[in-house]
Amino acid sequence: MVLLQPDPFLNELTSMFERSTEKGSVWVTLKRSSLKSKVQRNKMKTAGETIEYRCLVRATDGKKTISTSVGMKDHQRFQASYATILKAHMTALKKRERKDKKKSAVDKKEEGSKKP
Amino acid sequence: MVYITSWDEFVDRSVQLFRADPESTRYCMKYRQCDGKLVLKVTDNKECLKFKTDQAQDAKKMEKLNNIFFTLMARGPDADVSEVAGKEQMEMQPPKKGRGRKQ
């Protein structure tokens, strides 16, 4: 398991997506973590210190796993870059082309931002 | 494995799950380019919620959900305002364009 900084992690994630276009999957997991053991956390609680939580992000392509830890300060920037990467790679999903009048009325509300 | 069909239900229940147990709840995503399938899973190791799709529009909804989870996890489970503001802001924009199109 390779722990990286957020930026190298994003670069590796991009290459993972590129490598698995023909076959294979990409798994990404998000979890909250303070990166401290339970003992340390209890000690901090009794001492009255606030525990700083970070968001742990793990990605794997089945063979290699990479991970990174994102804190409050970086999370906005990270989530913007992460969203861009996902948007760029999720090209294989189908686009809805239904022309039902009833459904398009509902879809327009949802997809208003999609259609320029 | 519970596969949920409604996106909104999936979002509401996963946020509830996270708020109830932020320490053990995790959000997983699996994407297969060759099959064109996306599967989302939220679990706290006791209960599991899943959502699968092959629609491009769901990828956008998933991005919003990603934002929600990132905020909840980085700031703490009481990050109420950002979640609501994020969702409301997104809901605000489409209706304006929707009205324009109908007219």
Side-chain angles (χ1 to χ4, degrees):
Chain A
M1 172 91 80
V2 185
L3 186 67
L4 304 167
Q5 291 299 307
D7 292 322
F9 174 85
L10 291 168
N11 293 335
E12 265 305 310
L13 182 65
T14 309
S15 13
M16 262 189 196
F17 270 113
E18 283 163 11
R19 268 179 283 153
S20 54
T21 41
E22 287 305 301
K23 68 171 187 177
S25 342
V26 179
W27 283 266
V28 183
T29 307
L30 234 53
K31 187 177 173 172
R32 181 180 182 237
S33 168
S34 64
L35 299 180
K36 300 232 188 290
S37 68
K38 215 170 186 185
V39 179
Q40 279 180 307
R41 267 187 274 145
N42 286 336
K43 281 189 186 164
M44 286 171 93
K45 264 190 194 167
T46 46
E49 295 173 33
T50 45
I51 306 167
E52 193 216 322
Y53 285 103
R54 295 175 68 83
C55 188
L56 189 64
V57 190
R58 265 181 287 221
T60 179
D61 61 354
K63 307 222 170 97
K64 187 172 145 176
T65 312
I66 49 174
S67 66
T68 188
S69 175
V70 187
M72 246 192 291
K73 288 174 263 167
D74 326 314
H75 97 269
Q76 300 260 19
R77 196 168 61 95
F78 183 84
Q79 103 195 5
S81 319
Y82 176 62
T84 312
I85 296 177
L86 292 187
K87 249 184 279 200
H89 287 99
M90 299 208 162
T91 49
L93 299 174
K94 292 182 215 156
K95 302 216 164 122
R96 216 178 231 188
E97 284 180 27
R98 282 193 202 152
K99 290 184 180 175
D100 293 321
K101 283 183 184 175
K102 284 181 194 173
K103 290 219 170 176
S104 62
V106 177
D107 282 356
K108 270 175 190 172
K109 280 186 192 170
E110 287 176 5
E111 291 177 2
S113 55
K114 187 174 145 186
K115 291 173 189 169
Chain B
M1 294 295 154
V2 186
Y3 271 108
I4 301 193
T5 39
S6 149
W7 174 261
D8 292 324
E9 190 194 335
F10 176 73
V11 174
D12 285 334
R13 285 178 67 183
S14 13
V15 174
Q16 262 173 11
L17 209 60
F18 179 78
R19 288 224 168 104
D21 195 350
E23 285 300 303
S24 57
T25 306
R26 64 179 186 276
Y27 163 63
C28 318
M29 177 202 69
K30 169 169 128 178
Y31 176 64
R32 273 184 76 83
Q33 178 95 357
C34 47
D35 297 338
K37 291 236 156 57
L38 176 69
V39 183
L40 306 174
K41 175 165 99 170
V42 181
T43 175
D44 64 350
N45 298 325
K46 287 172 227 159
E47 212 183 299
C48 178
L49 306 165
K50 287 182 101 168
F51 183 87
K52 68 176 165 188
T53 182
D54 55 356
Q55 302 286 331
Q57 57 163 18
D58 287 330
K60 295 210 171 170
K61 293 186 197 163
M62 182 205 67
E63 276 163 39
K64 289 180 217 166
L65 184 61
N66 285 345
N67 290 350
I68 294 171
F69 272 118
F70 266 115
T71 315
L72 283 175
M73 291 178 180
R75 290 197 195 159
D78 312 312
D80 224 6
V81 181
S82 52
E83 177 206 48
V84 172
K87 269 203 158 179
E88 272 184 16
Q89 271 173 22
M90 296 311 285
E91 283 173 26
M92 286 287 286
Q93 289 168 21
K96 280 185 190 170
K97 287 195 179 179
R99 276 182 218 145
R101 288 220 130 213
K102 277 179 188 172
Q103 285 165 5

